[in-house]
Amino acid sequence: MTVRVPAKVNLQLSVGQARPDGFHELVTVFQAVNLCDEIVVRPNPGGGIALTLSGDDAEGLPTDAANLAHQAAEALAAHVGVEPDVAIHVHKAIPVAGGMAGGSADAAGTLVACDALWRSGVPREELSALAADLGSDVPFPLQGGTAIGTGRGENLTSVLSRGTFSWVFALADGGLSTPAVYGECDRLREGRSVPDPYVSDMLMQALAAGDPVLLGISLHNDLQAAASSLRPSLGQVLAAGDDFGALGGIVSGSGPTCAFLARDEEHALDLAVALTSTGLCRTVRRAQGPVPGARITG
Ligand code: C5P
């Protein structure tokens, strides 16, 4: 069973106060983009979970229970009452620890793939609840498209979005730890009152109208200052995108990947070439969004 599962970019990431459980209350707007990991699952009779990985940055990733895909297979097997005897292969294209929910996408893809392999027919809401237990960003790649996330980011509401947007992603050397970026955000805001986050009207208008210029100026990420504080070179990357005429530029999620919005695919190609030539990023990727969530392809 083969499943393709998309990366996400946060068009808005507004971070409220830290909660007693250590998570932050969020209002975020996710968009799924067609930078996809592929998950292949096969029966592994009596062999338990055997996880292998390939593709960009796959080397060094855990293949044991520390990997969210492993945890996803375990959780679904326990939920439906089967032995977790499955060989999982993850082919990665989504940057690792890059703020694009690559690990979460692999967990979401594994849930869908194992549900199909085991013919367990778990309803979407139950898969979504299992996903939320695995991580705040796991439910979104099940659903895809464009969605508002509240709570930890796991409560999703679909958003009306017209047309397709063209993105260029500047990938960095090495990742950033999500807890470390949230921790830095708290440190930078210490002593200041943190308002309750709310959804940007301008962003909703931009999406409903399919207006890339309005979307470009609506992009907002409260974690950007924290990611840039931990990785000062991100400021130069964002400035380069701006110089090269991106409609908007933002750190993706907790970073360090930077996302730039282009007018169209031709502009995205120009922007990708220009960003590559600066030598400020490890590599660039072009992608479009919104795209559907995890889906069975074979
Ligand atoms: O849910 P997930 O396991 O992906 O979260 C990883 C870490 O990111 C959490 O342990 C927490 O430090 C931080 N986080 C947060 N607030 C959120 C989501 C994540 O503080 N809403």
Side-chain angles (χ1 to χ4, degrees), residues 22-24 26 135-136 151-152 178-179 182:
F23 286 91
H24 293 72
L26 299 184
S136 310
R152 288 186 282 129
T178 302
Y182 275 100

Side-chain angles (χ1 to χ4, degrees), residues 5-28:
V5 59
K8 59 85 180 165
V9 57
N10 301 79
L11 309 177
Q12 175 184 351
L13 179 43
S14 297
V15 180
Q17 290 185 7
R19 310 190 313 198
D21 64 3
F23 286 91
H24 293 72
E25 204 55 35
L26 299 184
V27 168
T28 188

Side-chain angles (χ1 to χ4, degrees), residues 3-193:
V3 167
R4 276 174 74 75
V5 59
K8 59 85 180 165
V9 57
N10 301 79
L11 309 177
Q12 175 184 351
L13 179 43
S14 297
V15 180
Q17 290 185 7
R19 310 190 313 198
D21 64 3
F23 286 91
H24 293 72
E25 204 55 35
L26 299 184
V27 168
T28 188
V29 179
F30 296 107
Q31 184 172 92
V33 296
N34 64 351
L35 190 61
C36 294
D37 281 358
E38 192 175 77
I39 320 292
V40 183
V41 296
R42 292 188 177 83
N44 187 30
I49 299 172
L51 174 63
T52 53
L53 296 130
S54 62
D56 300 351
D57 315 328
E59 215 169 299
L61 286 178
T63 56
D64 58 11
N67 193 302
L68 270 183
H70 197 290
Q71 292 170 29
E74 190 92 55
L76 183 68
H79 184 75
V80 300
V82 301
E83 285 301 316
D85 288 334
V86 61
I88 308 168
H89 183 76
V90 178
H91 186 74
K92 294 213 63 72
I94 306 173
V96 171
M100 298 190 75
S104 300
D106 298 344
T110 301
L111 287 176
V112 171
C114 288
D115 182 51
L117 184 72
W118 295 333
R119 300 181 196 281
S120 37
V122 175
R124 271 291 149 140
E125 314 81 70
E126 279 178 38
L127 274 190
S128 219
L130 285 173
D133 286 343
L134 292 164
S136 310
D137 281 348
V138 183
F140 177 68
L142 283 179
Q143 177 172 325
T146 309
I148 296 170
T150 55
R152 288 186 282 129
E154 85 283 26
N155 300 324
L156 300 174
T157 311
S158 292
V159 168
L160 177 72
S161 179
R162 193 185 301 270
T164 298
F165 298 98
S166 299
W167 294 95
V168 178
F169 295 98
L171 277 53
D173 273 320
L176 277 175
S177 139
T178 302
V181 175
Y182 275 100
E184 181 66 1
C185 178
D186 288 340
R187 195 187 67 80
L188 293 174
R189 302 200 298 197
E190 213 169 325
R192 281 194 274 149
S193 74

